[in-house]
Amino acid sequence: MLSGLLDGIFSGISLGSVLLLAALGLAIVFGLMGVINMAHGELMMLGAYTTYMVQNALKGTPLFGIYIFIALIAAFIVTAIFGLVLERGVIRYLYGRPLETLLATWGVSLILQQLVRSVSWQLVTIVALFCLLFFGAMWIVARRTDFERARGWFLTIMIPLSAAAAIATGNVLGTLYKPAFTKLWFDARNVDVTAPKWLRGGFPIAGTQFSYARIFIIVLTIACVVGVYWFLNNTSWGLRIRSVTQNRTMSACLGIPTKKVDALTFALGSGLAGLAGCAVSLLGSVGPNTGQNYIVDTFMVVVVGGVGKLAGSIIAALAIGTANYLIGSNTLVDLTAPIKPLSDTFAFFSTISMAKVLVFALIIAFLQFRPGGLFPQKGRTVDA
Amino acid sequence: MAKSFGRREFMILGSTAAGSILLKACGSNPSTTASPGASPAASTAASTSAAGNTVKVGILHSLSGTMAISEKSVVDAENLAIEEINKAGGVLGKQIEAIIEDGNSDWPTFAEKAKKLIDQDKVATVFGCWTSASRKAVLPVFESKNSLLWYPVQYEGQECSKNVFYTGAAPNQQIEPSVDWLLENKGKEFFLVGSDYVFPRTANTIIKAQLAAKGGNTVGEDYIPLGSTEVKSVIQKIKQALPNGGVIYNSLNGDSNVAFFKELQASGLNPDKYPSMSVSIAEEEVKAIGVDYLQGHYAAWNYFQTVNSPASTKFVDAFKAKYGSDRVVNDPMEAAYIMVYLWKQSVEKAGTYEDLEKVKTAAYGQTFDAPEGRITMNPNHHLSKFVRIGEVGEDSLFKIVYETKEAVKPVPWNQFVADTKGFACDWSDPAKGGKYKTT
């Protein structure tokens, strides 16, 4: 009984911490900036693929034992840079229009999924060359004074021209250096991330075993939450982020560079997604669809927790994780064994699919009473 | 303000459009180069399959989406067989031209593309599908147009269409022998884990009936949604139901397997006390999951890369020579490879590829020295196949611990399930057909 209870608590917390880690970046991006980022799962996937690359690069070197830490840093940096590009390239045009951000980021998520399936040196060369030609030309032309008038012409000429040049070069190089240049980096198949030896297996306590990988994720989650709290509350950039999210116009009037703050916030949220991706690669598979498994759950956490409040996300993640585990396993069935009809009901819901159904039903019921989530935002800024 | 906004929007739209054109251009490259023996002249000329010097066949698999993981390698195996046949002179003196269509892991798309292959391209036959769902989606198309599909994957049985040849295992050629072997060697207490869709549920119904008949005991069963990676509560149930160890029968599909085996190891359920038998894990999946998590677990198939025979070595060598030495072959790829050869043999015996009735009649009794051994096509459209059980070894390959001496005859209608007990299938006899009572 003791081991069962311990196991229940541990599993609930560990499920919750995975959810929380995945939702933390989203809580910042969606909660603080109001951007519905459907590509959040794919940013996690990029983090997981970065982990895979780091693992392969360090295989056989003495650093392999601690590759996971290097992978964490690399995943954060890669996804943060990617988030920055995404924000500068797409999202900054869409602030204040949640439906458009939803559609645009969903498109980005599809592009990213297909990207990891078909990325090769050829594709990278084509895309890089296109960007170089197009934006290079734009940079040169933009210095002319009559640029605004000629812009339409410039675009109609430059886009096909640089695309044609890029594709032609890519294809020529592709035929010249056939296997190496056109070989896909990852393919559509899943790749394996194997945890270093000290993260495999578990720690035995009272007849049960606590998985090292899950303990690692719990610690990582705590570190991330503390880090984000510290960053938002104790640094000047954190102060600026909070003021911009509370009142954008007023902050701008007071001289806060809102554009920089937006970019930084989005990069931070994306970087956290990368960390989460690195962590879940220890538990599950890494493939083009990895992110899709998490996106619904993470939005659920943010919505239940209350948009804009980190504390809400933390409690919601733990509650959803624990509820999922308790209902999905036989724990509740055993606890209510004396009351037959109750235990029969729980037995009916005690598979993972049915547990999800019940948890979703509970969430719908909860949102009827508290539409704003656990910690709704208060005050006049809410509708702004 | 409004004007500059419009320009901005135009720029975004323009660059996304260009981006998508780029992606399209790169994406279409593989599919055009992948059709072997398709000379540019032949593909541009609007020739029906009757005219010209080529025989058109369709290949219909998911090259994108969730299932692309598995189906791409099957396409590779089919292309290899077609290339080999073309090098050896083709079929009836004509070269085979493969028309590859992408089902996009979406079942209505499969039906659409099947129609296109039959009506527009007028292919002689189609090789394709992986999931039972995609097969069920294209089945009405093939039946209404009276065309022919070759299907290469082990499946749950309970089907016998006159328009499909099944070259993967029927349940009695994979699941049933493996349960028998486990009962004999590994214990009588079984926990069944599966993905939540038709194949695992049917498979587990069969296993439960079989265990009940043979003195085994099902202590629990649980299903995980396809693609889900939260498997903690299943592991907990296994621990509760089998405190002292027992057999785990695993029919999980896809990503859940990775999470399942990582969690199994982390919870201390090792294969010496909790051996698991999987029916969806082959060489490719071992690579994707990571051998460290799988070593010592078992899988049941008809073919493993480690099968030691001249035909197997030839197949493995040819595949690696064409696609690279880091690639592995697996059971569905072998089934895909041999079905192309079986079609060729049937066409040659019939003397035509257009009269499908003649081709089908010619197919019955065809034998082929497959990598797995000498297989035979039965009048019930399934193959007699060898059954093997492999243990995952250090080198990510399977050590074969059991194999049948002779090919096992296929039983598509399951004899453990009440609804289909006593039924069989025989398309060589017009009076019997797809489902007739034997007794």
Side-chain angles (χ1 to χ4, degrees):
Chain A
M1 192 62 220
L2 175 70
S3 74
L5 201 64
L6 264 179
D7 229 32
I9 295 168
F10 176 73
S11 307
I13 292 176
S14 83
L15 277 188
S17 66
V18 172
L19 278 179
L20 179 56
L21 195 57
L24 203 57
L26 197 71
I28 290 174
V29 168
F30 179 45
L32 300 183
M33 302 174 77
V35 172
I36 302 180
N37 184 13
M38 295 297 283
H40 187 75
E42 275 59 42
L43 291 171
M44 286 174 66
M45 173 198 71
L46 284 186
Y49 269 97
T50 312
T51 313
Y52 170 72
M53 303 266 278
V54 171
Q55 170 200 265
N56 281 3
L58 294 182
K59 205 163 249 173
T61 66
L63 283 175
F64 186 67
I66 55 157
Y67 87 80
I68 198 75
F69 296 105
I70 298 165
L72 279 173
I73 298 165
F76 185 88
I77 294 171
V78 167
T79 48
I81 290 173
F82 204 87
L84 200 64
V85 172
L86 186 61
E87 201 270 347
R88 292 281 89 187
V90 181
I91 290 175
R92 69 170 161 150
Y93 301 106
L94 302 170
Y95 282 123
R97 294 191 283 166
L99 271 182
E100 278 95 331
T101 58
L102 187 148
L103 288 176
T105 51
W106 188 57
V108 169
S109 85
L110 292 181
I111 291 174
L112 284 182
Q113 278 178 38
Q114 203 54 43
L115 182 76
V116 296
R117 289 198 189 99
S118 45
V119 63
S120 62
W121 280 116
Q122 191 177 17
L123 187 71
V124 172
T125 319
I126 291 177
V127 173
L129 206 60
F130 174 80
C131 292
L132 195 75
L133 286 175
F134 180 72
F135 292 107
M138 184 130 102
W139 182 71
I140 293 168
V141 179
R143 288 192 294 186
R144 291 171 58 105
T145 43
D146 56 347
F147 175 62
E148 278 299 314
R149 261 188 298 139
R151 189 170 203 160
W153 283 107
F154 170 75
L155 289 176
T156 36
I157 294 169
M158 260 336 269
I159 289 179
L161 206 65
S162 33
I167 292 172
T169 319
N171 285 346
V172 166
L173 284 173
T175 36
L176 281 181
Y177 306 98
K178 186 121 183 120
F181 202 68
T182 52
K183 191 172 155 36
L184 299 177
W185 289 5
F186 305 114
D187 206 323
R189 284 164 296 171
N190 288 11
V191 296
D192 69 309
V193 172
T194 304
K197 240 196 163 74
W198 55 272
L199 269 179
R200 296 204 293 263
F203 181 67
I205 294 180
T208 178
Q209 200 167 355
F210 289 177
S211 145
Y212 289 133
R214 284 187 181 269
I215 296 175
F216 179 75
I217 290 175
I218 293 173
V219 172
L220 181 68
T221 309
I222 294 171
C224 284
V225 170
V226 171
V228 168
Y229 249 112
W230 178 84
F231 178 75
L232 286 181
N233 291 319
N234 290 35
T235 62
S236 55
W237 277 106
L239 187 69
R240 285 172 200 163
I241 289 177
R242 281 184 298 137
S243 76
V244 169
T245 52
Q246 272 176 17
N247 195 329
R248 175 175 297 270
T249 340
M250 186 60 80
S251 312
C253 288
L254 291 173
I256 291 173
T258 52
K259 283 185 177 168
K260 262 190 202 163
V261 169
D262 287 335
L264 182 80
T265 317
F266 199 85
L268 175 68
S270 306
L272 286 170
L275 287 184
C278 182
V280 298
S281 71
L282 296 175
L283 298 179
S285 63
V286 178
N289 298 310
T290 301
Q292 304 244 293
N293 298 329
Y294 294 93
I295 190 75
V296 174
D297 287 333
T298 48
F299 268 107
M300 196 61 76
V301 167
V302 177
V303 169
V304 170
V307 172
K309 292 284 166 114
L310 284 184
S313 300
I314 295 168
I315 294 174
L318 289 180
I320 293 177
T322 316
N324 246 330
Y325 177 77
L326 286 181
I327 300 168
S329 69
N330 279 328
T331 322
L332 279 182
V333 182
D334 295 345
L335 283 176
T336 54
I339 316 161
K340 190 87 173 78
L342 203 58
S343 79
D344 283 351
T345 316
F346 283 128
F348 175 71
F349 283 108
S350 75
T351 66
I352 293 177
S353 313
M354 287 313 283
K356 267 229 153 92
V357 172
L358 190 60
V359 168
F360 270 65
L362 288 175
I363 288 174
I364 292 171
F366 172 77
L367 289 178
Q368 296 300 314
F369 296 107
R370 299 285 297 264
L374 282 171
F375 296 98
Q377 275 185 326
K378 295 193 179 83
R380 272 190 290 176
T381 51
V382 173
D383 292 325
Chain B
M1 186 68 201
K3 207 175 174 190
S4 80
F5 219 56
R7 281 179 187 142
R8 266 186 184 166
E9 230 159 27
F10 174 66
M11 204 186 82
I12 298 165
L13 284 176
S15 50
T16 33
S20 60
I21 291 166
L22 272 179
L23 282 177
K24 258 245 138 58
C26 309
S28 61
N29 275 342
S31 63
T32 45
T33 51
S35 54
S39 63
S43 56
T44 47
S47 56
T48 62
S49 64
N53 283 323
T54 59
V55 187
K56 283 186 184 175
V57 299
I59 289 183
L60 176 57
H61 287 286
S62 303
L63 304 175
S64 53
T66 325
M67 290 309 298
I69 295 169
S70 312
E71 293 192 54
K72 272 194 166 174
S73 53
V74 170
V75 175
D76 288 344
E78 285 159 10
N79 276 330
L80 173 68
I82 290 172
E83 191 186 271
E84 285 179 2
I85 293 171
N86 280 342
K87 267 194 194 143
V91 54
L92 295 176
K94 294 187 176 191
Q95 294 282 298
I96 303 173
E97 179 191 344
I99 297 175
I100 302 177
E101 285 295 340
D102 177 8
N104 192 22
S105 309
D106 178 56
W107 323 138
T109 308
F110 265 94
E112 221 171 85
K113 295 284 167 109
K115 267 195 207 109
K116 185 234 161 200
L117 283 172
I118 297 166
D119 289 342
Q120 206 178 315
D121 299 321
K122 306 212 183 313
V123 295
T125 189
V126 175
F127 306 105
C129 298
W130 177 292
T131 60
S132 292
S134 66
R135 191 189 67 248
K136 297 271 187 207
V138 300
L139 201 56
V141 177
F142 282 92
E143 286 184 340
S144 68
K145 304 202 183 284
N146 201 15
S147 196
L148 190 57
L149 170 73
W150 296 77
Y151 175 70
V153 184
Q154 41 76 256
Y155 78 119
E156 69 278 4
Q158 311 295 60
E159 190 182 294
C160 191
S161 167
K162 74 177 195 313
N163 298 95
V164 184
F165 279 109
Y166 308 82
T167 62
N172 76 308
Q173 293 169 314
Q174 185 189 23
I175 295 170
E176 291 168 27
S178 66
V179 172
D180 284 341
W181 182 82
L182 286 168
L183 279 172
E184 228 168 81
N185 296 293
K186 295 287 165 186
K188 308 236 176 260
E189 310 247 282
F190 280 60
F191 194 100
L192 315 180
V193 187
S195 292
D196 209 350
Y197 75 105
V198 54
F199 169 68
R201 284 195 180 259
T202 317
N204 284 350
T205 315
I206 296 166
I207 294 170
K208 277 188 282 183
Q210 193 187 350
L211 285 176
K214 295 193 167 161
N217 185 14
T218 314
V219 295
E221 80 180 289
D222 206 356
Y223 298 93
I224 300 171
L226 255 183
S228 168
T229 48
E230 264 318 335
V231 293
K232 194 96 179 78
S233 53
V234 174
I235 304 284
Q236 190 59 22
K237 278 188 207 167
I238 294 176
K239 269 194 196 164
Q240 276 177 0
L242 298 166
N244 301 314
V247 179
I248 300 168
Y249 205 97
N250 165 29
S251 46
L252 289 173
N253 225 320
D255 296 353
S256 309
N257 269 315
V258 186
F260 182 73
F261 281 102
K262 285 186 177 177
E263 198 64 53
L264 208 59
Q265 192 185 57
S267 307
L269 307 185
N270 296 319
D272 50 331
K273 264 177 86 182
Y274 293 89
S276 84
M277 176 70 75
S278 303
V279 288
S280 311
I281 291 182
E283 284 83 351
E284 292 245 301
E285 285 77 15
V286 174
K287 262 174 83 178
I289 296 171
V291 66
D292 293 325
Y293 296 104
L294 275 174
Q295 211 177 330
H297 289 286
Y298 298 92
W301 289 105
N302 303 115
Y303 173 75
F304 291 108
Q305 189 180 318
T306 40
V307 167
N308 193 7
S309 70
S312 172
T313 320
K314 187 176 149 257
F315 172 54
V316 176
D317 289 347
F319 190 85
K320 291 196 171 197
K322 186 165 160 64
Y323 297 107
S325 55
D326 58 330
R327 296 287 301 270
V328 287
V329 296
N330 62 24
D331 178 274
M333 286 155 80
E334 188 248 13
Y337 176 80
I338 60 181
M339 74 186 177
V340 180
Y341 273 99
L342 280 171
W343 170 75
K344 174 204 171 231
Q345 289 183 2
S346 313
V347 166
E348 282 180 340
K349 190 181 169 198
T352 169
Y353 53 84
E354 289 174 311
D355 188 342
L356 288 183
E357 290 313 313
K358 279 190 185 160
V359 174
K360 276 191 252 177
T361 316
Y364 305 141
Q366 280 297 339
T367 58
F368 179 66
D369 279 314
E372 68 180 83
R374 196 174 181 76
I375 47 109
T376 315
M377 180 54 81
N378 288 272
N380 62 11
H381 282 212
H382 291 65
L383 285 177
S384 294
K385 289 172 83 87
F386 292 82
V387 185
R388 294 186 171 86
I389 289 167
E391 183 185 349
V392 182
E394 225 173 305
D395 52 355
S396 319
L397 294 177
F398 288 89
K399 198 178 100 199
I400 297 166
V401 292
Y402 167 83
E403 60 187 333
T404 48
K405 297 235 159 34
E406 285 168 8
V408 178
K409 285 216 167 251
V411 181
W413 298 110
N414 200 275
Q415 301 305 305
F416 288 105
V417 177
D419 288 350
T420 52
K421 192 171 175 181
F423 285 95
C425 169
D426 185 351
W427 286 110
S428 65
D429 182 348
K432 287 176 174 171
K435 191 176 181 183
Y436 71 95
K437 202 134 183 72
T438 46
T439 45

